[in-house]
Amino acid sequence: MRNHGSILGILMALLPALVTAGHAETLARKTTHMVFDIIRQGDKIGTNSVDIDKQGDTTKVRIETSIHVKVMFIEAYRYEHVCDETWKGEQLIAFASKTDDNGTPHRITFSMAGDRPSLDVDGTRKDVPKDIVPASLWSRTLLHRPDWFNPANGQSLRIAFHDLGEDQVQIHGAAVKAHHYKISAQGSAFDRDLWFDGDNVLRIQLQGSDNSTIISDRR
């Protein structure tokens, strides 16, 4: 009986510490869910969702994009993309994506073996800079990095970005203050206008291959 009492006393003494530790772990975790409507020439053609799970210095991001363009009720173009990213601080440590670009499939993976980064594009491995990041555009912190890769097809991108300052944009009929950036890639058509609300992207605007304006607005 005395032993049982001693054990109970120890557990009761530890209980506040265990509760505090569990509470601290809960506070350290932050999840963000964002959904974007993709609009082309006034018509909605798809959606994009971004889920961010941050705990301590580890951040996991999952992005899913679905686009369907119809002309006279006939599907003229479709795009399906899903990717998963894992970050340790500001270092990308793992990436995997699967894309169907109008019938053309792509599989991209990124991994770190010690300090050696490796990017595999459709079964072909290539060495890349350690600080390379995917052009998934979900965070403003990525903009200062010059070396990117296209998460859909693995194309290497050398990025220049321009800070255009504070701006006001109409998002679903409401005026919203945001910070405006423009990015461009040397030797590529990967040009984007980006508006951020804090660290998270609010709007992405680009020109389609047919010169139409495509806008992705956060709900």
Side-chain angles (χ1 to χ4, degrees):
M1 191 71 175
R2 290 180 180 176
N3 289 339
H4 289 169
S6 298
I7 293 172
L8 181 60
I10 292 171
L11 289 174
M12 292 299 292
L14 287 175
L15 185 58
L18 292 172
V19 171
T20 301
H23 183 59
E25 183 178 351
T26 300
L27 289 178
R29 184 172 189 175
K30 181 181 179 182
T31 60
T32 303
H33 176 67
M34 300 184 290
V35 179
F36 298 79
D37 292 316
I38 303 172
I39 309 296
R40 174 183 175 270
Q41 297 179 335
D43 295 324
K44 181 178 174 179
I45 61 171
T47 58
N48 181 51
S49 66
V50 181
D51 287 282
I52 306 168
D53 186 342
K54 185 171 184 178
Q55 190 164 14
D57 66 346
T58 300
T59 302
K60 294 185 177 182
V61 182
R62 183 173 180 85
I63 300 173
E64 298 184 33
T65 306
S66 179
I67 297 174
H68 295 266
V69 178
K70 292 185 177 181
V71 178
M72 299 297 290
F73 305 104
I74 298 174
E75 187 172 74
Y77 177 76
R78 63 183 173 86
Y79 176 89
E80 302 288 343
H81 171 78
V82 59
C83 75
D84 291 283
E85 306 174 10
T86 303
W87 298 77
K88 203 76 170 176
E90 292 191 1
Q91 176 64 55
L92 180 70
I93 60 174
F95 173 92
S97 72
K98 180 181 179 181
T99 305
D100 181 346
D101 187 355
N102 207 34
T104 300
H106 294 289
R107 286 183 180 269
I108 315 298
T109 59
F110 172 93
S111 60
M112 293 287 293
D115 282 341
R116 295 191 61 186
S118 176
L119 186 68
D120 187 286
V121 180
D122 297 329
T124 300
R125 180 188 174 279
K126 60 180 180 180
D127 294 326
V128 291
K130 182 180 178 180
D131 62 351
I132 198 168
V133 297
S136 44
L137 307 177
W138 56 273
S139 172
R140 182 161 66 170
T141 61
L142 304 179
L143 296 184
H144 68 280
R145 311 280 279 271
D147 293 305
W148 292 15
F149 66 89
N150 189 319
N153 60 24
Q155 178 187 17
S156 295
L157 302 169
R158 186 70 175 178
I159 293 292
F161 83 96
H162 310 278
D163 186 340
L164 301 181
E166 297 299 318
D167 198 0
Q168 183 169 282
V169 290
Q170 292 289 324
I171 305 291
H172 301 296
V176 181
K177 290 183 178 180
H179 205 105
H180 186 188
Y181 297 90
K182 188 176 183 65
I183 61 171
S184 57
Q186 298 174 9
S188 172
F190 196 92
D191 294 349
R192 304 285 190 272
D193 279 274
L194 308 169
W195 287 263
F196 285 86
D197 175 16
D199 183 48
N200 295 327
V201 67
L202 181 68
R203 166 180 283 179
I204 301 172
Q205 181 174 306
L206 65 145
Q207 296 299 118
S209 58
D210 60 351
N211 290 322
S212 61
T213 299
I214 300 172
I215 295 175
S216 182
D217 279 348
R218 195 172 78 203
R219 292 180 186 171

